[in-house]
Each structure stands twice: as C-alpha cells, then as structure tokens.
C-alpha cells in the first residue's frame, strides 16, 4: 500500500485510464468487468487477480512494458477480504457435526462437482426427497464444506435463510447486507434496493474463489439474488424443496438426500451410544427404524439412550415405541414428521422440570439465536440456573451450541418447543415470558447506549431495570460488543412487535439504538428497524412517532446520498409535526432539512429552513436545538462568504453547547469556525479551533468528526507552509474517512491531499487525488463540493503547462461555484482562469478574470485579494 493508503495497482490503473481518455464505465465495458470492480480496484479495494489484470491491460491497449509494470504492481500484497488485522480470510461456516457418519456416495458426488479449471462449479442444491425435514442436509453441506474449504482461499460465506422457521424467512436483501459487510463494504455504502445489493455482491465476488453456503432456503426467489457470477465460486444451497426453478432457469445441479441407509444408521447409533448398542443389534435396528433413519431424530434418541446408562436399550426402545403409538393415534398418516415428533417427545419426557421449562421457553425467542441471559429472562431464573439447564439441553441435542457463546434451535425443534409452550404454559405465561425477554433486551440496549452516548440520554425512552439478570455493559468495549452482537435480534424483535400487540416496543427500540446503527454504518439494519417502528406508529395512530420514523429514515437516506428520498421523508415528517403543533420536532425537521440543503449546496434554502428552526427553538427555550441550528446557519453563511455573520452565529452556537454541556456536538462547530478564520487569514486562531475539535473528538470517540477536523487542520498547516504536518493530517483524515465508510469525507480528504502534492511539486499524484475526489463526488451525487477538486485539478494542470486543460477545469469550477453561491471557490476559479489565459498569451482576458476575482476576494475580506492586486500590478500594460 502507498503511504496514503492507496494501492500501487489502483494508482497506476487510474493513471493509465486517464491517459487513454476513458471513464470507468467505458473501461469496464471494454474489459468485460463491472464499473464497481474498476472503481474498487482504483480505490485499493479488493485483489487484482491475474485474469482481471490481463483484461484491463488489453482494454487499455498497453504496450508490453506497460503490461509488465501493471502486472508487477498487482503483485503487491493486499489485504484479503474482511481480513482484519490478523490477515485471516473469511471463515463463516458453522462448526461441523461431530461423529459425522455415512453419506459416502453423496460426498463423492459433491466432490465431483468441484471446479477443475476456471469454469467454476456453479450452484448445487442439496434437497430432501419428499421434503423430509431432519434428513441431515445442513450437516452434510457443512461437513463437506469444511473438507474442501482449502480449495477456496478467499474463504466461505454462510447464511441461514430460515426458510422453514416458525417466523418469517430471511429476506434476500438482509442476507446480501450481511455478505456485503463481511466482504468489506461499509454499511453506509450498502444500497437499499435488493437488485443493487445483488449487483454489488457479484462485483465484490468477481475474481474471488469463495464457497457460499445458503442454508435452509425456502424458495428459488429467496436464493436467486444471492447467486454469484464469479467462475471461481461455488454456491451450496440446502432446502426441503427441490428448488426446481434454480435448476431449470439458473443452471443449478441438484443432489437429492434420502434417509440414512440401515447400515449407516446402525453405525451412527453405535458410535453415539457405545457398547450397549453393539451388544444389542436388534434393539439398535429397531431404534433406527423408530427414528425413521432421520439423522436429527437419531442424534436426539442416541443422546437420551447414552444418558440413560442404567436402563437396558431394549426397554428404552419399547418406551419410544409406546410414544410412537400414542402419536400415531393422533396422526393417521404416520409420516416421518410424526416419527421425529415422537423422538422429540420421548426425549422431552426424560427432562427434569427445569430443563423442560427452559426448552419450551426457548421456542418463544423471535431471533435467530440467543445467549444465556435471554434464556434466563424467558425462564425467570438466574444466569447460573439457566446455564446449567442449557448444558443439559445441549447434551440432549435439543439446543445447538454455535461455538460462539450463542445457541440456536433446529426449526423443527423450535416449532415443537413453541407448541409445547402454548399447550403446557398457556397464553398468559408465554406473554409474561416474552415481556421479561423484551424488557431484558430493551433495558440492556438502553444501558449500552447510555455508556456510549451519555449526552443523548434525554432522547431515549427510560427503561426500568428488569427483574432478571442483565449483562455488564458499563464500559465502551462491552457496550459496543453487546450492541454489535445483538443488532439482528433487536431488529427481529422490532418486526415481531410491530406486527403483534406490542407496537410501542418497536418504537422504543428504534428510539433507543438508532444512533448506534447510524454511526457504525449499519444502515440496512437502521432502515429495517425504522421501517418497523414507522409501521407500528401508523398502526397505533401515533403521529409523533410516525414523524420520528420518517425523520430517521430521511437521515439514513441522506447519508446514503439518496437525497430526493431524504428530502421527501423529512418534508413529510415536517408536515406531520406541524399538523400536530409539535414545535420541538418541527424545529428538528427544519434543522435536518437545512443540513441536507447544505450538503447539496442549496445555501439559501438551507438558511430559510434553519432561520425558522432558530426562531422556534428560541421561543421554546430549547438551548441545544438552538445551538445546532446556529451551527448550521453559520456553516451556510461561511459557504456564501458571509464570514462575519458566520463567526457571530458559530460563536453563539459554541456558547450554547458549553452551556448545555455538549462538547461532542461543539466539535464540528469549532471546525466550521476554524475554516472561517482560515479564509480570513487568521491562521493561528484557525489552528487552535481545529486542535480543540480534535481533542473533543478523541475524548468522545467521534471518528467521523475527527476525520473532518484533521482535514481542516491540515489545510491550515498548508497555509502556514508546514507541508509535512499538513500531509500527516490529511493522511490520517483519509484513513479515518475510509475506516468509517464516508465517501464524501474521503473525497474531501483526497482534495486537500492533492493541494499538498501541488506545493511539493508532485503533480502527477496531485492530479490523481483530485480526479479520485471528483469520481467519488459524482458517485454519491454530491455536486456541492465538486468545485474544490476541479479548481485543484486546474491548478495542477496549469503548473505542468497544460493551460487549455486547466482552463476547462476552472471554467467548470466557476460555473458550479456560481450556481451554488460559493463565492470563495468562484473567486479561486476566476483567478485560475486569469493565470491560464495569461499562459495562453491572452492578457486582456486574464486581466478581466483577475479583476472579477479581486472583486469577490475583496467582498470576502480574504488574503487572496492582496495576491490578485499584486498580480494585476505586475501585469499592468505599459
């Protein structure tokens, strides 16, 4: 990697593309690759495989020497996908089943489908003959996947699609979000649309060799968006269904899984039970028949037999036969599911009362997996009691240990446990258990959020401490870990609550954890959670909560650069707040709308929104909201060159933030103020503001704001001629922007870094950085900042004698800056046009441009006015 975090390959590829005069779309089309792949490679994301390098070299018509140079740069070591700091590729497969027996023919068939060359292995569906559940599809797929994992050096992806769980199946969009995040895509960059996520997923898998296991699929439609396009990948799907559509339409190959053979059944039971099974082969064979030779039932039965060491195996088999007969009276069909339920019932009857109760309660949990604290809440017990009972259920094969201190239930066992709970415990006790469970999750989430964001406590619902134990989340590391581990469960609970009789819970969960999901870039989860809360609010007619749901969705859409959707949601929220005469939330929506308009360069519109918000805040005495509004107002005025008004409003904002004790929010205001001081040439004051901002950011962990503060401080150092310090600040800013996944921040850091390279005479690197910034701004649709890299690129081109190309960049920058009312960048572009005209021998035009630049700089009161006066004096016609 280069010193600024860019790969050598990415830099060289972008340079060659620009030399060829191609856009990323055009190069991708010529090479037969996706635009996203080209974009990622140029930005240092992903590994440049030899085949890709060859395609790109041919598309660029490189000479032999240039092809060698490109190939060498591609061999620079790169981080594997989602490698983390330890460099370990993705390993998402669940643990393999111990004592796996049989399936020799099926394993051989699977191995025969492995890729022999670059043609790949495509998609394989492991389905159950006749839709039989418990036949061992997952066990076979996971066992084989572990055997062949070494053939897929980029790792394995795994998702349980929950196609046959009692609850709703996992939507393909959710599975794609999980895969994209695992493959290194920041949550902020994950599209909302399923098709767009699928396209991004295929791009990230391009040229990788990965095994993807899609477990428990319910339909072809659920699987289809998750199919890869990369020839080096294998997708393995398990389903009770044959998924004939995947075979017919998508070229999948199917492996039908039947019951275990009688011989393999005997071997499995003997392995699990031990000598008693070997000593009584007749009883063992009868037990296998009673379990319908289904691996799930066989393992549950074998564990019970192994635990009942003092009971002859023949007696246990007779007991199971009696249970089977009782169930047969209720189900005349006598199918394999009845056999499975008979084994479950037989095993359950041997549990002590505590373990039986915990098993029933576990079937009520709405999430995919759970921990011991959740079970303690469901069972109304201590953690030690729940842990001891859980151990018995794991040993009985009624609950599965995922190997990560999390536990789960096979879908058949989950349905059976929930059925028992409804019949044995009754509706009142089941609802009481769920109330305890939801209270546990909401309270723990609230405590974790208070630990991470103490200044936001007043914005979250107050949740009483439940009567059951809760984990310790009083330090930042444990708080983040708990929220990260349980975010999917919290979304699942919100979905359950929004559709059921607990809509307030969905609303409270959104209000509690939204900021964590937002700041950590878990936008798909944030959108889903807010959507459930919005649905719950509409069901109950809660207009305030409906407005809050619309507002939160608008904020997420804005951060994903989906500006029109953001404006639509926030404007609808504003209309609801006004209709409800909710002045506080009306002011909040106006402030949010002003922030979006600022990001879009709509400064007059922003000032209109924020001025109204400011008036409301002052009438209500809402000091913190007033501080935010003043900060936005000052930022808008700064960008319009109203520097003195900006200083007044930003200083007022800082005073209010100090009054309410919110140092975190004041950090960004300090950066706005520092930028104004820098524009006015008050460099020491500017540097002091940015240093104060940095101190606050680092104290309170505001990584995104820290990236902005570093960029601003670097800009001041550059004005002071301290290039090395400026470069160091921009290097850190760029790294942080990429870490938090903020493309706008990344582009602004690249722009600032380009200015350092210009002063250092490293013009090629400077131009590269400005072009990367432009590409990013276009990618996310943020035109407001494009004038800066265009001016930077013009200055770079001018320094290298390319005056005509420089004129084009300055002209575009001047038009854009004039359109959005950014006087500083407009003056800068006019000054650049003057220098470019002078270089072309057009002195009359040059003087006209400089005179217009001087007028603007003089209005702004910036030091550049003196520089332009000196230029005009030197170029006075004689």
């Amino acid at each position: 990697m280069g010193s600024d975090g860019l790969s050598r390959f990415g830099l060289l590829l972008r340079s060659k593309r620009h030399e060829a005069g191609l856009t990323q779309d055009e190069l991708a089309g010529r090479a037969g690759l996706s635009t996203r792949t080209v974009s990622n490679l140029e930005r240092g994301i992903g590994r440049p495989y030899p085949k890709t390098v060859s395609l790109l070299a041919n598309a660029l018509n490189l000479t032999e020497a240039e092809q060698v140079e490109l190939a060498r740069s591609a061999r620079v070591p790169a981080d594997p996908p989602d490698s983390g700091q330890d460099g370990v590729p993705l390993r998402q497969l669940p643990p393999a089943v111990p004592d796996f027996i049989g399936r020799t023919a099926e394993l051989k068939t699977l191995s025969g489908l492995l890729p022999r060359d670059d043609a790949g292995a495509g998609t394989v569906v492991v389905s159950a003959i006749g839709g039989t559940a418990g036949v061992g599809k997952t066990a076979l797929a996971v066992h084989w996947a572990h055997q062949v994992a070494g053939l897929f050096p980029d790792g394995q992806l795994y998702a349980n699609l929950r196609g046959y769980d009692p609850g709703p199946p996992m939507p393909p969009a959710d599975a794609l979000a999980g895969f994209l995040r695992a493959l290194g895509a920041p949550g902020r960059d994950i599209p909302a649309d399923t098709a767009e996520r699928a396209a991004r997923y295929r791009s990230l898998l391009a040229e990788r060799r990965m095994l993807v296991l899609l477990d428990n699929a319910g339909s072809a439609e659920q699987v289809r968006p998750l199919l890869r396009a990369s020839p080096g990948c294998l997708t393995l799907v398990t389903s009770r269904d044959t998924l004939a559509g995947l075979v017919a339409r998508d070229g999948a190959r199917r492996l039908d899984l039947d019951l275990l053979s009688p011989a393999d059944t005997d071997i499995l039971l003997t392995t699990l039970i031990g000598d008693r099974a070997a000593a009584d082969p007749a009883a063992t064979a009868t037990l296998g028949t009673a379990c319908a030779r289904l691996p799930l039932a066989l393992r549950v039965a074998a564990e019970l037999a192994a635990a009942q060491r003092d009971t002859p195996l023949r007696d246990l088999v007779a007991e199971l036969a009696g249970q089977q007969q009782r169930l047969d009276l209720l189900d005349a069909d006598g199918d394999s599911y009845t056999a499975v339920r008979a084994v479950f019932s037989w095993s359950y009857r041997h549990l002590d009362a505590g373990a039986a109760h915990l098993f029933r309660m576990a079937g009520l949990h709405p999430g995919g997996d759970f921990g011991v604290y959740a079970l303690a809440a469901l069972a109304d017990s201590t953690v030690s009691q729940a842990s001891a009972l859980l151990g018995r259920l794991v040993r009985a094969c009624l609950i599965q240990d995922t190997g990560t201190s999390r536990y789960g239930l096979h879908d058949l066992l989950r349905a059976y446990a929930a059925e028992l709970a409804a019949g044995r415990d009754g509706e009142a006790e089941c609802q009481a258990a769920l109330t305890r469970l939801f209270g546990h999750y909401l309270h723990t989430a609230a405590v974790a959020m208070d630990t991470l964001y103490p200044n936001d406590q007043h914005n979250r619902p107050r949740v009483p401490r439940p009567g059951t134990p809760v984990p310790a989340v009083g330090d930042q590391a444990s708080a983040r870990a708990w929220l990260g581990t349980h975010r999917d469960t919290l979304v699942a609970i919100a979905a359950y609550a929004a559709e059921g009789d607990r809509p307030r819970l969905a609303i409270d969960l959104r209000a509690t954890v939204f900021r964590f999901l937002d700041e950590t870039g878990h936008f798909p989860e944030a959108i889903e959670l807010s959507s459930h809360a919005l649905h719950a609010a509409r069901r109950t007619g809660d207009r305030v909560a409906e407005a809050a749901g619309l507002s939160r969705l608008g904020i997420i859409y804005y951060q994903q650069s989906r500006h029109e959707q953001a404006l639509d949601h926030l404007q609808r929220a504003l209309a609801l707040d006004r209709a409800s005469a909710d002045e506080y939330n009306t002011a909040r929506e106006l402030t949010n709308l002003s922030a979006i308009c600022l990001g879009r360069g709509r400064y007059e519109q922003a000032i209109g929104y924020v001025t109204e918000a400011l008036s409301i805040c002052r009438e209500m005495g809402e000091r913190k909201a007033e501080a935010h509004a003043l900060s936005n107002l000052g930022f808008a005025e700064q960008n319009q060159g109203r520097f003195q008004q900006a200083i007044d409003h930003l200083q007022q904002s800082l005073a209010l933030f100090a009054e309410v004790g919110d140092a975190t929010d004041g950090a960004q205001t300090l950066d706005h103020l520092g930028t104004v001081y820098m524009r006015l040439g008050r460099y020491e004051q500017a540097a002091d503001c940015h240093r104060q901002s940095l101190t606050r950011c680092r104290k309170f962990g505001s990584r995104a704001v820290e990236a902005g503060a570093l960029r601003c401080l670097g800009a001041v150092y550059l004005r002071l001629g301290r290039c090395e310090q400026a470069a160091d600040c921009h290097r850190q800013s760029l790294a942080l922007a990429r870490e938090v996944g903020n493309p706008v921040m990344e582009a602004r850091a690249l722009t600032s870094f380009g200015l350092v390279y210009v002063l250092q005479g490293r013009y090629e690197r400077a131009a590269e950085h400005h072009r990367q910034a432009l590409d990013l701004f276009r990618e996310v649709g943020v035109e407001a900042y494009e004038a800066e890299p265009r001016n930077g690129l013009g200055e770079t081109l001018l320094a290298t004698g390319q005056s005509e190309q420089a004129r084009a960049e300055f002209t575009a920058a001047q038009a854009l800056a004039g359109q959005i009312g950014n006087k500083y960048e407009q003056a800068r572009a006019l000054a650049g046009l003057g220098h470019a005209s002078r270089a072309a021998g057009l002195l009359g035009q040059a003087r006209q441009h400089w005179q217009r630049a001087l007028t603007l700089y003089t209005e702004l009161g910036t030091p550049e006015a003196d520089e332009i006066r000196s230029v005009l004096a030197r170029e006075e016609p004689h």
Side-chain angles (χ1 to χ4, degrees):
M1 304 292 287
S3 61
D4 54 8
L6 300 173
S7 70
R8 280 181 53 202
F9 178 82
L11 288 170
L12 185 58
L13 176 61
R14 190 181 291 270
S15 174
K16 296 300 181 186
R17 175 171 65 80
H18 285 305
E19 287 177 13
L22 298 174
T23 65
Q24 289 182 341
D25 288 339
E26 290 167 342
L27 176 57
R30 287 190 182 187
L33 301 169
S34 71
T35 304
R36 176 65 64 178
T37 297
V38 174
S39 174
N40 285 342
L41 289 174
E42 288 189 356
R43 294 169 59 195
I45 300 173
R47 183 186 305 177
Y49 283 77
K51 184 177 179 181
T52 302
V53 175
S54 177
L55 290 170
L56 290 167
N58 291 334
L60 290 166
N61 293 319
L62 298 184
T63 66
E64 186 176 344
E66 288 173 328
Q67 290 183 37
V68 171
E69 182 186 13
L70 189 68
R72 283 176 178 169
S73 71
R75 288 195 286 272
V76 176
D79 292 337
D82 198 39
S83 61
Q85 294 184 354
D86 56 5
V88 179
L90 280 167
R91 296 283 185 261
Q92 289 193 343
L93 291 177
V97 174
D99 300 314
F100 185 88
I101 299 295
R103 305 298 193 192
T104 303
E106 290 86 351
L107 289 169
K108 184 177 180 181
T109 299
L110 285 171
S111 295
L113 298 174
L114 284 170
R116 305 294 180 189
D117 48 38
D118 287 342
T123 302
V124 178
V125 177
V126 177
S127 62
I129 292 179
T132 303
V135 77
K137 303 178 298 297
T138 299
L140 172 67
V142 171
H143 177 78
W144 181 77
H146 277 286
Q147 284 187 331
V148 301
L151 300 177
F152 299 91
D154 293 314
Q156 311 94 40
L157 294 169
Y158 172 84
N160 181 357
L161 300 181
R162 303 195 300 268
Y164 297 93
D165 274 16
M170 177 184 287
D174 290 1
L176 285 165
F179 285 169
L180 288 172
R181 187 172 286 110
L183 290 165
R188 299 171 186 272
D189 289 349
I190 295 176
D193 181 70
T194 301
E196 290 180 13
R197 288 186 187 181
R200 180 81 185 271
Y201 169 64
R202 290 191 294 271
S203 295
L204 288 177
L205 281 188
E207 303 300 324
R208 285 178 171 155
R209 296 186 68 86
M210 299 192 76
L211 189 153
V212 182
L213 175 51
L214 306 175
D215 202 11
N216 296 315
S219 66
E221 290 70 26
Q222 189 185 22
V223 172
R224 192 164 282 121
L226 301 165
L227 299 182
R228 90 295 165 270
S230 174
C233 294
L234 170 67
T235 304
L236 194 59
V237 184
T238 73
S239 178
R240 293 183 200 171
D241 191 86
T242 61
L243 302 184
L246 289 185
V247 177
R249 175 176 160 185
D250 301 284
R253 284 163 284 187
R254 191 170 73 235
L255 173 65
D256 292 327
L257 201 60
D258 205 346
L259 308 174
L260 275 179
S261 69
D264 285 340
T265 297
D266 288 346
I267 294 172
L268 178 60
L269 289 172
T270 301
T271 301
L272 296 175
I273 298 172
D275 294 341
R276 284 187 301 153
D280 194 344
T284 301
T286 303
L287 180 59
T289 301
C291 293
R293 305 204 314 273
L294 290 168
L296 175 63
L298 289 167
R299 286 184 177 276
V300 173
E303 289 301 329
L304 176 59
Q308 303 290 320
R309 295 182 182 279
D310 297 331
T311 304
L313 185 60
R314 193 174 298 274
D315 293 351
L316 290 171
V317 172
E319 183 184 332
L320 173 58
Q323 182 67 18
Q324 179 74 60
Q325 289 171 1
R326 285 191 290 275
L327 285 177
D328 281 345
L329 293 175
L330 300 175
D331 185 352
D333 292 338
D335 62 12
S336 57
Y337 181 61
T338 304
V340 173
R341 291 185 73 252
V343 173
F344 291 169
S345 175
W346 179 53
S347 180
Y348 170 78
R349 286 161 60 89
H350 280 270
L351 295 173
D352 61 74
H357 181 245
L358 186 67
F359 175 67
R360 298 194 302 272
M361 294 298 100
L364 302 177
H365 193 282
D369 57 14
F370 42 78
V372 67
Y373 280 94
L375 290 179
L378 282 165
D380 198 11
S381 70
T382 67
V383 170
S384 59
Q385 289 169 336
S387 183
L389 296 172
L390 177 61
R392 295 175 208 171
L393 294 172
V394 170
R395 288 192 294 275
C397 288
L398 294 175
I399 286 182
Q400 300 164 328
D401 185 348
T402 65
T404 58
S405 298
R406 308 285 295 166
Y407 302 86
L409 285 164
H410 188 283
D411 53 1
L412 291 182
L413 283 162
R414 185 187 293 274
Y416 179 64
E419 177 187 305
L420 287 174
R424 303 289 177 88
D425 301 288
E427 179 68 15
E429 173 53 27
C430 288
Q431 290 303 313
L434 286 171
T435 297
R436 291 192 300 271
L437 178 73
F438 298 153
H440 153 74
Y441 277 121
L442 186 57
H443 172 80
T444 308
V447 173
M449 291 297 294
D450 287 349
T451 300
L452 294 174
Y453 310 104
N455 292 329
D456 263 4
Q457 291 187 38
H458 64 286
N459 290 327
R460 293 188 285 272
R462 292 297 86 201
V463 183
R465 185 183 179 92
T468 57
V470 292
V473 289
D475 63 90
Q476 292 213 348
S478 60
R480 287 187 185 280
W482 191 90
L483 289 166
T485 299
H486 293 86
R487 64 176 186 270
D488 289 337
T489 299
L490 297 175
V491 172
I493 292 172
Y496 177 94
E499 292 295 341
D501 58 356
R502 300 173 189 258
R504 187 71 230 175
L505 174 61
I507 295 168
D508 287 347
L509 277 169
R510 192 273 307 155
T512 299
V513 301
F514 178 85
R515 182 171 178 183
F516 171 79
L517 297 175
D518 175 34
E519 291 209 350
T520 54
H522 289 98
F523 286 169
E525 292 89 344
I527 289 173
E528 194 173 353
L529 185 65
S530 295
S531 298
H532 293 316
L534 182 60
H535 176 61
R538 286 170 172 163
R539 279 188 60 204
T540 57
D542 188 334
R543 305 295 291 277
V544 174
E546 182 181 354
L550 285 166
S551 176
R552 294 309 177 195
L553 282 167
I555 290 170
I556 304 168
Y557 291 144
Y558 171 61
Q559 290 173 307
Q560 288 188 312
S561 300
R562 297 161 64 188
H563 301 113
E564 294 310 314
Q565 285 174 283
L567 286 167
D568 173 65
H569 279 71
L570 286 169
Q571 285 164 347
R572 282 195 280 155
L574 178 62
L576 281 171
D577 289 329
R578 281 178 166 156
S580 304
D582 186 334
E583 290 187 324
Y584 177 82
N585 285 324
T586 295
R588 181 192 64 189
E589 307 314 345
L590 288 165
T591 304
N592 288 336
L593 282 163
S594 74
I596 292 179
C597 290
L598 288 173
R600 300 289 286 165
R602 301 175 184 176
Y603 299 125
E604 289 299 338
Q605 195 175 354
I607 289 174
Y609 281 131
V610 78
T611 301
E612 185 181 351
L614 194 55
S615 175
I616 295 172
C617 293
R618 284 172 172 163
E619 286 178 14
M620 297 174 60
E622 287 288 344
R623 309 294 274 168
K624 184 174 179 180
E626 182 182 349
H628 278 292
L630 283 165
S631 183
N632 280 7
L633 181 56
F635 182 66
E637 290 165 337
Q638 166 210 311
N639 280 281
Q640 286 200 314
R642 304 176 190 176
F643 291 151
Q644 192 51 56
Q645 295 108 306
I647 290 173
D648 292 342
H649 289 128
L650 292 170
Q651 287 178 336
Q652 291 174 43
S653 174
L654 285 172
L656 284 173
F657 279 131
E659 180 183 314
V660 298
D662 196 332
T664 309
D665 286 326
Q668 199 157 29
T669 306
L670 279 165
D671 285 328
H672 296 334
L673 183 59
T675 299
V676 178
Y677 285 147
M678 184 188 73
R679 292 279 185 252
L680 293 171
R682 295 155 66 174
Y683 301 131
E684 291 303 333
Q685 282 178 281
D688 184 57
C689 285
H690 299 314
R691 291 190 197 103
Q692 287 184 57
S693 175
L694 270 179
T695 299
R696 296 186 186 193
C697 294
R698 287 168 175 168
K699 181 178 180 181
F700 296 104
S702 302
R703 307 288 277 170
V705 182
E706 182 183 349
L710 283 162
R711 179 184 57 78
C712 292
L713 183 58
V716 176
Y717 283 148
L718 194 62
R719 295 297 185 95
L720 291 168
R722 293 150 69 173
C723 281
E724 288 306 315
Q725 285 176 283
D728 184 56
C729 284
H730 292 318
R731 190 175 295 112
Q732 293 179 60
S733 175
L734 186 58
L736 273 175
R738 287 171 172 164
E739 179 185 317
V740 300
N742 189 316
V744 174
M745 216 169 272
E746 179 182 349
R748 298 201 73 186
L750 286 164
T751 300
S752 299
F753 218 155
L755 298 177
V756 175
Y757 284 134
V758 170
L759 285 187
Q760 291 176 334
R762 301 169 67 182
Y763 300 120
E764 189 174 327
R765 296 300 298 277
E768 184 63 34
H769 277 54
H770 290 310
R771 286 184 175 120
Q772 285 184 58
L774 275 171
D775 284 345
L776 275 174
F777 284 138
R778 288 176 190 140
E779 187 176 328
V780 298
V782 178
E783 293 182 352
Y785 295 128
E786 278 190 34
E788 295 179 52
R790 283 203 176 277
N791 274 328
L793 183 57
E795 290 159 3
T796 306
L797 292 167
L798 191 60
T800 56
Q802 302 176 69
S803 59
E804 282 306 308
Q805 295 93 322
R807 280 169 61 86
E809 297 298 335
F810 288 132
T811 299
Q814 194 268 333
L816 180 58
Q819 178 184 332
I820 64 175
N822 189 327
K823 291 183 179 179
Y824 182 84
E825 291 300 328
Q826 191 178 3
R828 183 182 168 195
L830 287 165
L833 280 169
H835 293 300
S837 299
R838 175 68 179 84
L842 304 171
L843 189 55
Q845 285 187 21
R847 288 185 58 78
Q848 290 176 12
H849 291 311
W850 285 326
Q851 193 61 57
R852 292 176 64 195
L854 177 60
T855 300
L856 287 173
Y857 279 138
T858 301
E859 287 179 15
L860 294 170
T862 62
E864 288 87 350
D866 290 335
E867 296 174 16
I868 297 298
R869 285 192 190 96
S870 298
V871 170
L872 282 167
R874 285 199 311 270
E875 298 296 337
E876 187 72 31
H878 299 292

